[in-house]
Structure formats: C-alpha cells, structure tokens
Amino acid sequence: MPRVYNWQIGREMTYPYEESRPRRQFAMVMDLNKCIACQTCTISCKTTWTRGRGQEYIFWNNVETKPYGGYPLAWDARILERLGPQRWEESRYAGKTLFEAAPAGETVLGWFPSADHWMHPNLGEDEPRGGVKRGTYVPGIPHGVWMFYLPRICNHCTYPACLAACPRKAIYKRPEDGIVLVDQSRCRGYRECVQACPYKKTYFNLATRVAEKCIGCYPALEQGLQNMCITACIGRIRLAGYLTPQVTPGPEGRIIPREADETNPLDYLVWKRRLALPLYPQLGLEPNVYYLPPVHVPLPFLRQMFGPAAGEAVATYRRMLEHPEEERELRGLLCLFGSTYRVVHRFRVSATHAHGYDEKGAEIIRVPLREPSYVRPFYDRERGVYRQNVP
Amino acid sequence: MTGKEESTGKTSPDGSGASPQDKEGGPRLSRRRFLAAAGALLGAGATVAVWRKGPRFKMLYTADRFVSYHRPQGLPAEEPLDPAWALIPGYRVDLLPQNVTPPHLHRTSVSHLVVRSLHDGQTIVFHLEWDDGSEDPLEAIDRFRDAVAVQLPLHPEKSPPVTMGAKDHPVHVAQWKASWQRDLERGFQGVEALYPHTYSEVASSGPRGAKQEDAESIYPALRLKNPLAERRRRSPVEEFLAEGFGTLTHHSRQEARGKGVYRSGGWSVTIALPMRGGPDKASLEPGRKHLVAFALWNGSDRADPRGEMGNSGARKHWAGWVELEIRPLR
C-alpha cells in the first residue's frame, strides 16, 4: 500500500492511493469561542441543498454540544473507542491511523451507524461536563463546569476515508480546489463511505438510494463567493479560503509549506500561527476544516480533539484577548470573519483597519479594528425627548 | 465437484411425458437409486428438517454440468413458481464469501443456490432459488436488500477471470434486486413506504407524485439518470457490463426481465435474457461452450467484522464459473 505524508500527524502513513495534493485546498476556519449553536448555518445549508424527502435526517452542516452531543449519536466516542488508546510523541503521532488499524479485508476502521443513531440530531444540547450546585461559580480558565458548541461540515480531507473505502471509485477529490464529491451518476448506494468516514459526513438518501455529502458550496466558490453556512452565520465565526497545500516534512515533525503565503488568511492561521487546528488529526485523514479551540475547556479534552498543538493555540488566543495591541494582526484577521460574501485571498491589517483582498489583489472589504461608538445625552434638547436605550 | 442435479422427474418441460434425462441420455433416476436416496434422507432427521424449510423443488441427485433445457413454447420467464421448473433438474451452486477484493464478505449466510434454466432459442431464463430466513425488499439508512445475479462472459473461449471479468475480458451481468421487485409491485419505495406515519411539508419534492423536473432539481442522481434513483421501474433486473472489480457499468440496452417471489423461507427468482447477444452482451448459442457464474446478496446478513454492514456491492456471496450446456433446439 502506498506511503503518503500527513503533516498533521508529522509522519508518513499508509493510504490506498498515492499522495496527490490539489493545486490549492479549500479550507474553512471556525472560531469555537464565538459559536452560540443558533443553527442558522444548519438551516441555511439544509434549505439550500438537502430540502427534499429522503433527506430528512441529512445535515451536511450540524452543530452539536461537546462533550456529550454528537450526530450521529456519539460518533466520535465510538471511533475513538474502536481505535483504542493511542499516543503522541510531541507533534508526531505514534499511534495508528484508521487506515493502519483497518481489520483484514477492510480499507478503513469504521463504524456503521444504525437508523437509531441518526434519530437525535441535537441530543445532549447544552449539557455541561460537571455538576452545578447552589453557590457554584467559575473563578478562572479552564472552567470546572464546561461545554462548548462544535459546528461541523465535511472536512474535505486530504486523505478522505470515504474515497478510500468506495469500491467503485465514485468519490473523487477535485484537483482544482480539493473539494471531495460523490459522483451522483456513479454511486450505487453501497454505503461503504458511510461506514468509513469517521466524521459521519456522508449520508444515504432514501429517495435516490445513493450517498450524498457536503459539496463545499462549490458553485459559489467557483464565483469567488463564500459558503452558505458562512454567509448566514450570525456569530461571524467562520472564514473560508484556500490553503497552500504543498508540504514537506521539516525537523522534529514540523511542517514546512513550500509556498505558504502569510498574507493568505488560511495559511496565516494554520501554518504561521498554528492557531487553527484540525479535528481529530490522529485519525489520519488530514481534515481541512480548522478550529480555533475554545479557551475555557480543560486541555486534556482539547488535546484529544485537536491534537498536541491545542495548548499553544489556547495560549495564543488568550494573549490576543488580554493584550490586543500585541496581537493586532491576528485580531484584525478575526474581524474579517463573516464580514463579506466574497472569498478573502489576502489580508492586511493597518493601525485602524483590517483589509481583505480578492484573488486579483483588489480590496473587497475594510473593517475597523474597533467599531466606532457614540455616546448621546439621555435628554435630547433639540427634540425635547428622552432617549431610550434602543437604536 | 461443483454440481448436483435434482428432479421430480415426472414429465418433461415440453409436456411430452419423458424426463429430459430420458431424452438426452443423462442420468436416469432408477427405482433402486431413488429408494437409496430416500432411505438416506429419512435416516438423517436433521437433514429432513432442513429440507422441509428449504427450497420448493428438492434436490435428489447430481450432475457435472449446468444444463439449459429447450422449451419451445410457454417459457416461464416471469413465473418463478411455474410447475415447469419442477420438471427439470436443479443444479446446486455452493457459495463462497467474496474475499478477494476489499471490502470482504467475512462469512456466508447462504450456503448454496439451486439453479435451473430453460430456453426457447430466443430467450434464456435462469431460475434461482435459495433459503433466506428474512425477506429484505427495502433499502434505507441501515437496511440492505436481497439480490442475485448471473454473470456471462462475452468471450467464454478466453477463460476470463471470475472476478467480474478483467481488462479485455468483459462480462455481462444481470442482477435481480428485491428492492426493484417491490418498486415494480407497489411503486417506488421511498420515505412514505419506509416510514408511513411521517409528515412532510415538502411532499412535492418526493419521488411519488412530484413532477419530474421538480424532483430533478432536488436530486442530482435523478437528473443524471442514475438507475437506482429512477422512479418508474420497467424490470426488477438490471443489466451491466464489467471489466473487473469496480468497473460495473449500467448497460445502455436494458432488455432483461424477471421476477422474484419470497415464499416459505426462501426466494425463487427468474432472470430472462435475450440469447442473440449484440454489442457488449453475451450471445448464447446452443451447442457452443458457455460459462456462467452467480452472486448473491443477503440484505439482512451483517457480515463485516463488527456485524454492522449488510450484504451490498463487494460484500457478496459468489461462486466460480460453471460450464453451461445449452441443449439444442428440437
């Protein structure tokens, strides 16, 4: 079986196909410190792409509460349990990936949910870890009683398990942007992809009897527009763009992107700052949705979910909150999240504003680092009225 | 040794009163052999119990090749329970788990198929029977359908691999699906059939009652004419061309007919194909050497290492090539 390089686990691993990275990789960053689980992303995706019969249970985008929520039920606990305890050595993963742990006769170590597992899209919502008693208060970070929201779409992995497991080669990864798609004319509904994808982001459509998955809103991206789940997000937690995909292994497992562009928002957050982290990198799929980890959550949980860089990322994020002037560039970039329908290819942060540019270098958005505020007197002499605290 | 024949041996399929063996010089069911076989059966109580639940037409004795008998009129192409099938010998095909290419079937849940065949010079009909404790006609999130398939090489003289053929060794496959049979009989089995008490505000996009263009705007698979998504079935049998694992391709000319009936704990299925062949199809001429192979899917059997996946795609029962003798026209 071919050996491929997975930068997220800092080593080579086995995969059924040769390494073949796209020219650029579609990627999304989600700031988990901002998500409020309003499910606007879920509904915008649903009404755009999966509103038909037979798709009732299909949520290309969903938001679940961690640690207890999950759709399908306990998807992450199940696959972690099957994989068993594994080990990281610094930033190098010393355990087995899902491809390496596959039983004989199978391509991937998987889990096939039953219909019951798909019946509770939001079970565990707002369930915190730890009990709250009378008088409980939360003095500092990390919190003793905690939960957070995890919005999820297809990770458009560099090494997709769905693609690896499909015996018909009906799933493909687009060379132009790395989006992973199910060929709707070729799929025969075997559901090997459903079993193989650890994130459970392929679904069987009851009305067509073939598999479907998130298409990364490619018709929008091809016009330079961001995804539905991003433009609808009222918390402005998301940003989509393209990662520079060429990577070579560096010393001590650190990766060196060959042509990383620090003015590219994705490259900046993922490569340069190592602030945006992949979900369960130890599974070996090299997922391309990246998360800014929630700062209030105990580190062991974050390390399990986002890998060994979680501590560093939390420290960086807290520094940005506590010393905004030191992290002006990062703070400026986060201001661009959810501020435009267009895909931001490059950014620049000046003393007062964050600027976003399109592929040709034209400015498409300018956001002030600090929103202007106005204080007006309670009594308006000119109009002879009292101002209420409403806009 | 791969085959055993069975026969009730009373009348020939053409109704002339003589069994095919009598006419063709095959093994004759003598009174002594019949009594010996019957005695052996009665001695093994467990075996008899299994047989009572088993297929409708019993096996009695063996043959070394699979024969398609000539029946000039009244070919039961869509009548798997037609008495004509009881009049010809059944050929036992032992099934193995597909464990050559991943994903594997890790064990079998159906031990064998009993196959029979008749032809009229224009059409050949395969009659397939097997024991299956559950009828699985629906496909849903975690439900898989029963199915059975015959595979015929386009160039039998080139000894093609049984692994769905290979490059330059194309095979012609005809698969009967319990789900398509149910679709034919009761209309497309969509959400309404799977979950009859659900309420939906988007009925217009459903497979039943929706305008074709509305449905196509919702379902790309329908727009792209994926045969699985087609809402109006013409036959429960789908024809394919293949050149090895993973190459199965819906045939541009769909001519196969057939029918499956679930009765007494087992399936009886017919698959009827034109014998003339044509482009990218197997042509079956009496007197020429032919090969045939079989595959079977038991939808409710969970045969992956974790007991989760039903039989589907590569997770199938199969058997090697069997020599097919097509008896000449009389």
Side-chain angles (χ1 to χ4, degrees):
Chain A
M1 198 176 277
R3 304 279 299 169
V4 296
Y5 185 71
N6 181 330
W7 68 265
Q8 295 178 353
I9 59 172
R11 66 172 174 86
E12 288 193 331
M13 62 169 203
T14 56
Y15 187 70
Y17 300 105
E18 298 287 344
E19 184 168 341
S20 171
R21 290 178 183 270
R23 288 194 285 281
R24 59 182 183 177
Q25 173 64 54
F26 163 74
M28 195 181 287
V29 175
M30 304 190 197
D31 185 349
L32 298 184
N33 293 289
K34 293 185 190 166
C35 181
I36 57 167
C38 66
Q39 307 282 2
T40 311
C41 49
T42 307
I43 297 305
S44 67
C45 175
K46 184 95 184 134
T47 51
T48 306
W49 299 119
T50 60
R51 66 191 186 280
R53 296 216 78 177
Q55 298 176 311
E56 287 85 349
Y57 82 106
I58 297 178
F59 289 99
W60 290 356
N61 181 107
N62 76 301
V63 186
E64 54 203 42
T65 304
K66 288 295 162 199
Y68 297 123
Y71 185 67
L73 209 59
W75 61 273
D76 46 356
R78 280 176 199 278
I79 200 65
L80 291 175
E81 188 178 37
R82 287 204 174 167
L83 192 57
Q86 305 287 336
R87 206 159 41 84
W88 286 87
E89 289 169 352
E90 304 287 331
S91 59
R92 184 181 183 279
Y93 179 56
K96 283 186 170 179
T97 67
L98 293 186
F99 305 106
E100 292 160 346
E106 307 283 311
T107 312
V108 183
L109 175 67
W111 168 56
F112 188 68
S114 73
D116 289 348
H117 294 119
W118 292 110
M119 285 198 175
H120 310 283
N122 212 2
L123 199 71
E125 186 186 26
D126 292 357
E127 288 274 341
R129 170 78 175 83
V132 181
K133 295 186 182 126
R134 187 185 174 98
T136 294
Y137 89 112
V138 181
I141 281 178
H143 293 177
V145 179
W146 58 273
M147 57 90 176
F148 67 97
Y149 302 117
L150 183 70
R152 303 200 299 121
I153 64 166
C154 166
N155 286 293
H156 297 282
C157 305
T158 306
Y159 303 112
C162 59
L163 185 154
C166 179
R168 281 184 64 70
K169 300 186 178 73
I171 302 181
Y172 61 103
K173 189 169 173 67
R174 306 208 308 179
E176 63 267 39
D177 55 14
I179 284 177
V180 178
L181 296 175
V182 180
D183 182 338
Q184 293 293 296
S185 62
R186 188 159 178 75
C187 176
R188 292 198 63 84
Y190 300 155
R191 285 159 271 178
E192 295 297 336
C193 56
V194 178
Q195 189 200 35
C197 172
Y199 306 105
K200 296 293 161 253
K201 282 296 174 189
T202 51
Y203 304 84
F204 183 73
N205 184 331
L206 301 177
T208 60
R209 300 183 190 158
V210 298
E212 295 179 348
K213 63 178 288 302
C214 161
I215 59 171
C217 289
Y218 72 82
L221 286 172
E222 286 172 359
Q223 298 177 59
L225 300 172
Q226 297 198 72
N227 313 58
M228 293 303 291
C229 56
I230 293 181
T231 54
C233 176
I234 61 165
R236 296 183 164 194
I237 76 153
R238 302 188 187 205
L239 186 79
Y242 299 97
L243 266 180
T244 304
Q246 302 90 341
V247 292
T248 44
E252 296 164 9
R254 293 285 290 216
I255 44 87
I256 302 171
R258 259 181 256 146
E259 295 162 13
D261 177 2
E262 289 180 6
T263 64
N264 171 338
L266 276 295
D267 280 7
Y268 179 85
L269 289 168
V270 174
W271 301 130
K272 187 183 177 195
R273 303 306 306 268
R274 286 170 65 89
L275 181 63
L277 304 175
L279 183 61
Y280 294 116
Q282 65 269 42
L283 304 180
L285 282 68
E286 212 188 288
N288 286 305
V289 173
Y290 297 86
Y291 294 94
L292 309 189
V295 295
H296 65 290
V297 173
L299 270 181
F301 189 84
L302 292 182
R303 286 204 188 96
Q304 175 179 266
M305 187 169 259
F306 301 112
E312 198 185 325
V314 167
T316 305
Y317 199 96
R318 290 191 64 187
R319 192 164 59 245
M320 179 194 72
L321 296 175
E322 288 154 15
H323 307 285
E325 280 314 306
E326 289 176 22
E327 293 287 359
R328 191 167 48 84
E329 196 171 35
L330 178 58
R331 197 163 62 90
L333 175 53
L334 295 193
C335 289
L336 291 179
F337 277 46
S339 64
T340 172
Y341 285 97
R342 312 271 301 275
V343 174
V344 177
H345 288 261
R346 287 177 46 241
F347 79 103
R348 180 176 69 85
V349 179
S350 67
T352 55
H353 286 78
H355 307 257
Y357 303 92
D358 69 7
E359 204 165 9
K360 291 176 181 159
E363 185 176 286
I364 51 175
I365 184 71
R366 181 185 302 186
V367 183
L369 297 188
R370 178 179 281 273
E371 291 282 343
S373 60
Y374 305 94
V375 179
R376 293 186 288 182
F378 179 46
Y379 181 69
D380 186 333
R381 289 181 185 280
E382 194 181 324
R383 294 174 183 81
V385 292
Y386 289 95
R387 288 199 175 91
Q388 305 301 317
N389 192 17
V390 292
Chain B
M1 178 59 230
T2 54
K4 295 171 188 158
E5 281 193 6
E6 67 174 89
S7 174
T8 49
K10 285 175 186 162
T11 51
S12 69
D14 57 4
S16 67
S19 80
Q21 290 76 22
D22 294 339
K23 284 196 168 181
E24 308 294 342
R28 180 182 290 269
L29 181 63
S30 71
R31 184 184 180 84
R32 178 173 296 180
R33 286 177 66 183
F34 176 81
L35 288 174
L41 272 178
L42 288 170
T47 312
V48 171
V50 169
W51 278 32
R52 276 192 186 138
K53 291 196 301 180
R56 286 122 299 278
F57 309 129
K58 304 282 188 280
M59 276 170 290
L60 284 178
Y61 55 92
T62 64
D64 58 1
R65 68 175 59 182
F66 176 41
V67 177
S68 182
Y69 295 99
H70 182 230
R71 182 177 170 90
Q73 282 160 0
L75 202 62
E78 290 168 295
E79 292 92 32
L81 302 181
D82 192 289
W85 294 112
L87 305 180
I88 58 168
Y91 184 91
R92 176 184 165 123
V93 177
D94 290 316
L95 296 169
L96 296 166
Q98 189 291 111
N99 56 10
V100 173
T101 187
H104 290 182
L105 188 72
H106 291 263
R107 54 174 171 72
T108 57
S109 58
V110 178
S111 63
H112 65 276
L113 268 171
V114 178
V115 295
R116 293 174 167 82
S117 181
L118 288 169
H119 73 91
D120 63 3
Q122 303 291 316
T123 301
I124 187 165
V125 187
F126 295 95
H127 182 267
L128 309 110
E129 286 187 311
W130 70 96
D131 286 345
D132 184 347
S134 67
E135 179 186 13
D136 305 307
L138 298 175
E139 287 210 76
I141 295 167
D142 59 351
R143 295 171 76 173
F144 297 79
R145 83 285 184 269
D146 295 327
V148 71
V150 296
Q151 173 177 288
L152 300 155
L154 265 60
H155 312 294
E157 67 286 354
K158 286 164 73 175
S159 301
V162 77
T163 52
M164 295 172 73
K167 182 79 181 142
D168 300 324
H169 293 281
V171 294
H172 175 197
V173 177
Q175 184 194 42
W176 170 90
K177 297 183 235 312
S179 49
W180 287 24
Q181 185 72 54
R182 181 62 71 90
D183 289 345
L184 260 182
E185 290 165 2
R186 303 189 190 176
F188 189 93
Q189 299 290 290
V191 180
E192 296 88 342
L194 294 160
Y195 299 99
H197 304 298
T198 52
Y199 167 75
S200 176
E201 292 176 342
V202 288
S204 67
S205 64
R208 293 171 87 179
K211 287 182 189 165
Q212 183 76 8
E213 60 266 35
D214 289 349
E216 284 185 2
S217 75
I218 302 261
Y219 307 122
L222 200 58
R223 179 75 166 248
L224 294 168
K225 304 203 182 323
N226 187 321
L228 296 173
E230 277 298 322
R231 294 182 290 157
R232 288 177 191 84
R233 305 268 176 234
R234 283 181 288 274
S235 167
V237 182
E238 185 180 9
E239 285 182 84
F240 305 94
L241 190 66
E243 282 194 334
F245 289 131
T247 65
L248 194 70
T249 303
H250 183 75
H251 209 291
S252 56
R253 280 190 302 133
Q254 295 288 321
E255 301 167 300
R257 291 180 293 146
K259 184 173 183 175
V261 175
Y262 185 83
R263 204 185 63 160
S264 324
W267 280 107
S268 298
V269 174
T270 56
I271 294 176
L273 293 164
M275 294 170 74
R276 67 173 186 286
D280 293 330
K281 287 204 174 178
S283 81
L284 300 166
E285 297 163 29
R288 199 177 142 211
K289 183 195 169 191
H290 295 285
L291 297 172
V292 61
F294 302 93
L296 182 145
W297 293 262
N298 181 8
S300 57
D301 172 42
R302 308 280 157 164
D304 69 313
R306 302 281 178 173
E308 293 166 350
M309 295 290 286
N311 287 192
S312 186
R315 296 187 199 271
K316 66 189 171 193
H317 298 67
W318 68 350
W321 292 118
V322 174
E323 200 175 320
L324 170 63
E325 179 190 340
I326 301 178
R327 290 281 163 91
L329 311 182
R330 288 174 305 198

